[in-house]
Amino acid sequence: MYTTELSKSAEVRAIEDPELLAAFEARVAADEFIEPKDWMPEAYRRTLTRQISQHAHSEIVGMLPEGNWITRAPSLRRKAILLAKVQDEAGHGLYLYCAAETLGTSREEMIEALHSGKAKYSTIFNYPTLTWADIGAIGWLVDGAAIMNQVPLQRTSYGPYARAMVRVCKEESFHQRQGYELMMAMANGTPEQQRMAQDALDRWWWPSLMMFGPPDADSPNTAQSMRWRIKRETNDELRQKFVDISVLQAEYLGLKVPDADLRWNEAKGGYDYGEIDWDEFYAVVKGEGPVARERMAARRQAWEDGAWVREAASAHQAKRAARKAA
Ligand code: BYC
């Protein structure tokens, strides 16, 4: 389910009924939403299950780096905002798991795939949050990158995923603004706060660019996902938009983007930027990120600690069903 081999179009054509496939492709080309009970090629189902479940896992694992800071937020206002944001991420995970379940894989199977290391989640959450300024940098850059990627997903071809994205994007927009507002307070604060803000930008900049995935030329899924309108823009297109917006935002904060090769390119109407360390990206994807082990240990522990709640909910449901049947 989590590999991409089946999404190669030649293979798809070989195993699917050509008439059904042609009708499906015509619907996608006409920008119709595909719904759970509609016929779809097996590879479309697999690609979506992979992408939506990876997205759901990212939301849930993404609660950890910020959750660390709830008790240490410097004021009641900041604490309330951060608490609300982390709760939103849990909600995003839930909508996304529900959307993925409509494709026929159970929540338990998806969680098991995450815990066993079979399923991926965003590389960004394998980096540590060392200072309070990191909470600002995550909101500004990580949620900023997430919105850039998710706004086009509101028009993805699978209905339940597209609809989940509408609400997620509204909330992410609030998250991005609270992060930028926090960075503004730090960047206009004491020299020590300004240093913390710059240090956070230095550490989160490159991992944020990696969130968009490998370059298009090395992305095994992009071509097919663009054809099926699962993805509406490619990894490199979205990364470029993110760089162009974020450089201006950094300038406004009086901070310096940590890239000696960053130059405005008049001809393309965007910034040229330095080479991303793809070795680091692939190492983090493989589970070698700085805090990858801690993240997975925390998720497994949370799953075990929550077992009694799941058991109680199932028992309650069974009792209600028995009462109804009696
Ligand atoms: N990290 O062919 P490609 C959030 C994998 S949560 C890890 O380009 P695709 C937030 C990829 O899965 C936001 N793995 O793949 C939450 C593929 O794996 P396979 C999370 C990555 O799917 C809490 C392989 O590399 N957003 O913002 O066409 C607090 C080849 O890549 C990454 C989403 O999940 C990565 N960065 O495109 C705060 C958005 N990049 O096939 C914030 C939804 C690539 O080898 N997902 N891989 O198993 C997508 O839009 C697409 O899946 C991607 C990748 C653009 C990420």
Side-chain angles (χ1 to χ4, degrees):
M1 173 197 350
Y2 292 95
T3 58
T4 54
E5 278 118 51
L6 273 172
S7 36
K8 290 172 198 139
S9 29
E11 233 169 312
V12 171
R13 276 166 218 291
I15 58 173
E16 301 288 4
D17 177 322
E19 269 180 39
L20 287 173
L21 189 59
F24 168 85
E25 288 184 344
R27 287 188 64 198
V28 169
D31 272 338
E32 276 181 44
F33 281 131
I34 304 301
E35 298 297 341
K37 289 187 177 154
D38 295 343
W39 185 89
M40 63 186 82
E42 211 36 47
Y44 177 84
R45 187 185 299 279
R46 285 174 200 227
T47 295
L48 275 168
T49 304
R50 175 186 61 77
Q51 178 168 327
I52 304 174
S53 63
Q54 168 181 304
H55 196 162
H57 299 326
S58 303
E59 300 283 356
I60 299 295
V61 178
M63 294 167 73
L64 297 170
E66 292 177 292
N68 273 342
W69 279 90
I70 291 173
T71 54
R72 289 176 285 165
S75 67
L76 184 58
R77 173 175 172 264
R78 293 287 181 201
K79 211 185 277 290
I81 293 172
L82 187 57
L83 197 57
K85 179 183 190 298
V86 173
Q87 282 177 339
D88 284 352
E89 309 300 359
H92 299 176
L94 294 182
Y95 319 146
L96 285 159
Y97 282 126
C98 289
E101 279 179 311
T102 64
L103 291 155
T105 301
S106 72
R107 179 98 49 111
E108 283 69 22
E109 285 173 277
M110 289 186 263
I111 303 280
E112 165 53 27
L114 173 69
H115 292 176
S116 67
K118 206 158 47 144
K120 298 182 170 74
Y121 59 91
S122 183
T123 43
I124 193 77
F125 302 116
N126 290 316
Y127 293 86
T129 36
L130 303 178
T131 75
W132 173 246
D134 288 19
I135 299 306
I138 290 183
W140 169 34
L141 297 172
V142 175
D143 288 274
I147 298 175
M148 193 58 81
N149 167 280
Q150 287 167 174
V151 164
L153 289 175
Q154 295 176 106
R155 292 180 298 113
T156 189
S157 56
Y158 188 56
Y161 193 21
R163 289 188 288 274
M165 283 300 106
V166 173
R167 176 150 177 193
V168 169
C169 284
K170 286 200 169 80
E171 292 176 351
E172 294 291 17
S173 160
F174 155 73
H175 297 169
Q176 195 274 348
R177 283 178 215 184
Q178 70 80 34
Y180 195 66
E181 194 261 341
L182 201 167
M183 286 305 270
M184 225 162 1
M186 300 291 285
N188 293 316
T190 63
E192 177 61 16
Q193 286 173 317
Q194 289 167 359
R195 268 196 299 278
M196 283 166 70
Q198 182 62 54
D199 169 61
L201 171 57
D202 291 347
R203 285 181 291 105
W204 289 94
W205 176 255
W206 293 104
S208 298
L209 297 194
M210 293 175 195
M211 282 177 75
F212 296 94
D216 295 348
D218 300 324
S219 161
N221 300 297
T222 293
Q224 182 62 72
S225 287
M226 291 292 285
R227 272 196 291 279
W228 275 335
R229 302 197 179 180
I230 292 174
K231 286 166 96 164
R232 309 295 302 222
E233 292 182 58
T234 72
N235 301 358
D236 287 333
E237 285 165 357
L238 292 170
R239 189 168 14 245
Q240 181 68 54
K241 283 192 184 175
F242 176 74
V243 169
D244 293 343
I245 284 184
S246 306
V247 169
L248 297 179
Q249 292 171 338
E251 272 171 19
Y252 186 75
L253 292 172
L255 300 178
K256 193 170 169 344
V257 171
D259 179 355
D261 297 322
L262 193 70
R263 304 254 182 297
W264 177 253
N265 180 330
E266 191 61 44
K268 81 172 180 189
Y271 284 91
D272 289 332
Y273 52 92
E275 184 61 27
I276 293 170
D277 184 346
W278 293 113
D279 291 341
E280 175 180 321
F281 169 78
Y282 287 113
V284 179
V285 169
K286 271 200 322 208
E288 293 165 17
V291 289
R293 274 191 204 146
E294 286 93 319
R295 297 287 185 248
M296 271 306 96
R299 281 312 315 154
R300 285 193 204 100
Q301 188 65 48
W303 182 252
E304 281 167 28
D305 291 348
W308 71 271
V309 180
R310 294 190 297 279
E311 280 160 23
S314 307
H316 178 66
Q317 195 187 17
K319 259 194 215 164
R320 281 182 59 167
R323 215 176 294 140
K324 216 169 162 189

